[in-house]
Amino acid sequence: MTMEDTNKNQELRRGLSNRHIQLIALGGAIGTGLFLGIGSAAVLAGPSVILGYALAGIIAFFIMRQLGEMVVEEPVSGSFSYFAYKYWGNFAGYISGWNYWVLYILVSMAELTAIGVYVRYWWPEIPLWASSGFFFLAITALNLGSVKLFGEAEFWFAIVKVIAIIAMILFGTYLLLSGTGGAEATVENLVNNGGFFPKGWFEKTDSGYQGLLAVMAIIMFSFGGLELIGITAAEAENPEKNIPKATNQVIYRILIFYIGALIILFSLAPWETITTNTSPFVTVFDNLKGLNFSLFGKEHSVTHLIANALNIIVLTAALSVYNSSVYSNSRMLYGLSEQGNAPKFLKHLSKNAVPIRAIIVSSCFVALCVIINKFVPEQAFNILMSLVVSCLIINWVMISFTHIKFRKVKNQEQVKVKFPSILYPFSNYVSIAFLIAILGVMTLTGMLLSVLLIPVWIGVLGLSYFVIKRSSDRKKTRNKSTNFN
């Protein structure tokens, strides 16, 4: 038996346990959008961003439930690309899969750059490329080992983030209830200084648009990564039980971690004091400025300790996103190869049932992006990041639309699904309408490039599909002709 024959008999192994799935889902709901990105939204909308995160969280949960229904029914590799391929057509599967792959190649590039910046906070003498390169090799090697290694790493990355948020919420609550947060620390800050909607719903000013609707795009993108739970389906132990459990708990986590952290943030100080660089962690612990503590016979500043802790947290968040990107990209490439929408050699699995070639190919593109990022002008990098936004919108819309087609087929077959989504098909149409509305807002709030890139990007994918399909058809014709002769 050849190695190729052996590989044909291999499948992805179900090595992700319940605790892995739970923390992967939790980690996907908590990212740098919470740790660092809230400030820019708060400046433009004030306390009303709390409502914004709640609304966006509900839409994200709807989409997760739609994806969850499909992956529980058919827990296979390729996730939403597989379902688009099966229930919508080969072209839809091609676009969905390659769009997602490119999305997280770009995200990987951004996160590797961020990792290098965070490391330089402690060791500024280390070149950006060196620290980024080190973690590039480390995370890639970890994913080449086994799916359990990925699961364990993501489990502990998520634990760090969860502990940090819980500590921030608890300590912030203590500052509010004990009065030690200062005279300005009060829940009345949520409605003082202009009310809950101090910037209105959507108002144009000399500097641009402001208000709740103006920041909904920023808020929605904070939930990018929740769909990772669908990618794990083919390697999850007991997916019929563990995936529904993890999916259903996302809405509670959003309420606790996002809404809870925001309520604390806006209660501790008037919203006008928030800046675009504000982190809820910095705001909470800023109350301890001037305090010192002794450790090993030396005096240490609490503020300095908090700054180091925050850097550890954001570094962990970036490593978590990059780790997840390496995992999801390789599984998407593997799924595309199974569909025939990617080269067949990418289906090769290692002895640990890891798509080793898919990981290496994806990593090579990420490494190339890091090199490009070092040499090209910043404008090129901004265009790439605009493409991330475009890819994310395409991804979510395709999940909701594919689910409609999936359910129609199941209803025709009179199949009772095991994990039905909420309010089908109403939630699908609401989700799609919400995302289209987000695009409308983006055209007015300085994100027009991301909107314009969507048809351009779909056109590029369509052209590549046409060229590949035509080449494949010609090859099949030549083979038939050769066999006939």
Side-chain angles (χ1 to χ4, degrees):
M1 180 179 287
T2 66
M3 182 178 294
E4 191 65 30
D5 292 330
T6 302
N7 191 63
K8 287 180 181 178
N9 295 327
Q10 281 188 295
E11 292 181 348
L12 296 174
R13 294 176 189 167
R14 300 195 178 277
L16 296 175
S17 66
N18 177 51
R19 69 184 178 89
H20 292 142
I21 298 298
Q22 292 292 319
L23 270 295
I24 287 170
L26 181 53
I30 305 170
T32 51
L34 174 60
F35 295 119
L36 294 176
I38 286 174
S40 57
V43 167
L44 290 173
S48 64
V49 296
I50 298 173
L51 176 61
Y53 273 93
L55 291 173
I58 291 171
I59 297 299
F61 181 61
F62 281 161
I63 296 173
M64 278 200 69
R65 282 296 301 261
Q66 293 155 19
L67 177 59
E69 177 183 316
M70 294 188 289
V71 298
V72 168
E73 203 67 27
E74 300 178 43
V76 296
S77 61
S79 188
F80 35 86
S81 173
Y82 164 84
F83 296 110
Y85 171 79
K86 182 175 180 180
Y87 295 98
W88 195 350
N90 192 31
F91 181 52
Y94 179 91
I95 285 183
S96 179
W98 282 110
N99 174 74
Y100 185 83
W101 184 79
V102 169
L103 165 63
Y104 277 95
I105 288 293
L106 297 175
V107 169
S108 297
M109 176 188 69
E111 294 301 329
L112 269 180
T113 303
I115 287 168
V117 172
Y118 299 147
V119 169
R120 291 184 73 177
Y121 174 81
W122 292 303
W123 300 288
E125 69 278 5
I126 296 179
L128 191 65
W129 64 265
S131 51
S132 296
F134 171 80
F135 285 105
F136 165 78
L137 293 173
I139 297 296
T140 302
L142 184 148
N143 277 268
L144 286 171
S146 71
V147 70
K148 277 195 173 182
L149 282 176
F150 158 76
E152 281 298 319
E154 201 55 34
F155 176 85
W156 290 108
F157 286 151
I159 285 289
V160 170
K161 293 188 285 186
V162 170
I163 291 175
I165 294 173
I166 291 175
M168 188 277 294
I169 292 174
L170 291 177
F171 189 71
T173 302
Y174 165 75
L175 292 174
L176 284 170
L177 297 179
S178 67
T180 53
E184 290 187 330
T186 170
V187 291
E188 292 179 1
N189 284 323
L190 295 172
V191 293
N192 287 341
N193 308 305
F196 191 69
F197 293 90
K199 299 295 185 77
W201 285 88
F202 193 59
E203 298 180 3
K204 187 175 183 179
T205 66
D206 293 338
S207 58
Y209 284 90
Q210 63 181 18
L212 178 59
L213 296 181
V215 299
M216 285 308 299
I218 298 173
I219 292 172
M220 194 66 196
F221 300 139
S222 296
F223 295 106
L226 285 174
E227 67 280 350
L228 177 62
I229 191 71
I231 301 290
T232 65
E235 295 170 281
E237 296 176 358
N238 195 2
E240 290 185 16
K241 177 183 177 182
N242 292 334
I243 289 180
K245 187 176 180 181
T247 302
N248 282 334
Q249 289 182 359
V250 165
I251 190 65
Y252 305 115
R253 292 160 182 161
I254 290 171
L255 290 173
I256 293 171
F257 295 121
Y258 275 91
I259 309 304
L262 283 168
I263 290 174
I264 296 297
L265 170 64
F266 284 101
S267 296
L268 284 172
W271 67 267
E272 296 99 328
T273 62
I274 298 173
T275 67
T276 55
N277 298 319
T278 296
S279 162
F281 293 88
V282 173
T283 301
V284 167
F285 296 109
D286 199 44
N287 291 275
L288 297 178
K289 274 186 177 177
L291 293 181
N292 297 314
F293 66 97
S294 296
L295 183 66
F296 303 120
K298 291 184 178 181
E299 285 290 317
H300 298 272
S301 165
V302 170
T303 304
H304 180 69
L305 175 67
I306 293 164
N308 279 280
L310 178 61
N311 203 57
I312 291 172
I313 293 165
V314 294
L315 175 60
T316 301
L319 286 170
S320 174
V321 173
Y322 181 57
N323 186 42
S324 297
S325 297
V326 173
Y327 171 81
S328 56
N329 267 344
S330 61
R331 271 55 178 185
M332 186 57 75
L333 264 189
Y334 177 83
L336 283 167
S337 181
E338 286 194 319
Q339 297 167 20
N341 283 324
K344 291 296 181 185
F345 80 92
L346 294 170
K347 287 176 61 178
H348 179 78
L349 300 176
S350 69
K351 63 179 181 180
N352 291 325
V354 169
I356 185 170
R357 293 176 182 172
I359 292 175
I360 292 173
V361 168
S362 296
S363 297
C364 286
F365 276 91
V366 173
L368 180 64
C369 286
V370 172
I371 295 171
I372 292 173
N373 184 36
K374 182 178 180 180
F375 293 105
V376 298
E378 178 144 345
Q379 189 60 33
F381 181 78
N382 290 337
I383 292 174
L384 290 175
M385 290 305 101
S386 295
L387 185 57
V388 167
V389 176
S390 306
C391 292
L392 201 54
I393 291 286
I394 294 169
N395 184 40
W396 283 335
V397 169
M398 291 195 75
I399 289 174
S400 277
F401 199 78
T402 298
H403 176 256
I404 293 173
K405 291 184 169 292
F406 166 87
R407 178 62 80 86
K408 284 182 178 178
V409 171
K410 295 302 177 183
N411 288 344
Q412 289 171 358
E413 295 174 349
Q414 296 184 330
V415 173
K416 186 177 180 180
V417 294
K418 301 165 187 172
F419 184 47
S421 64
I422 296 174
L423 300 175
Y424 165 85
F426 175 74
S427 64
N428 298 73
Y429 295 128
V430 168
S431 299
I432 293 171
F434 182 88
L435 292 170
I436 292 173
I438 290 288
L439 290 177
V441 171
M442 288 166 59
T443 62
L444 299 172
T445 55
M447 302 182 74
L448 179 60
L449 177 62
S450 293
V451 178
L452 295 177
L453 279 174
I454 290 177
V456 173
W457 176 231
I458 292 176
V460 170
L461 289 172
L463 180 62
S464 66
Y465 175 80
F466 173 77
V467 171
I468 293 171
K469 188 175 186 301
R470 191 171 181 179
S471 175
S472 177
D473 290 343
R474 285 178 177 175
K475 186 176 180 180
K476 288 178 182 178
T477 301
R478 285 197 301 268
N479 289 339
K480 286 181 180 179
S481 177
T482 303
N483 292 336
F484 179 77
N485 292 331

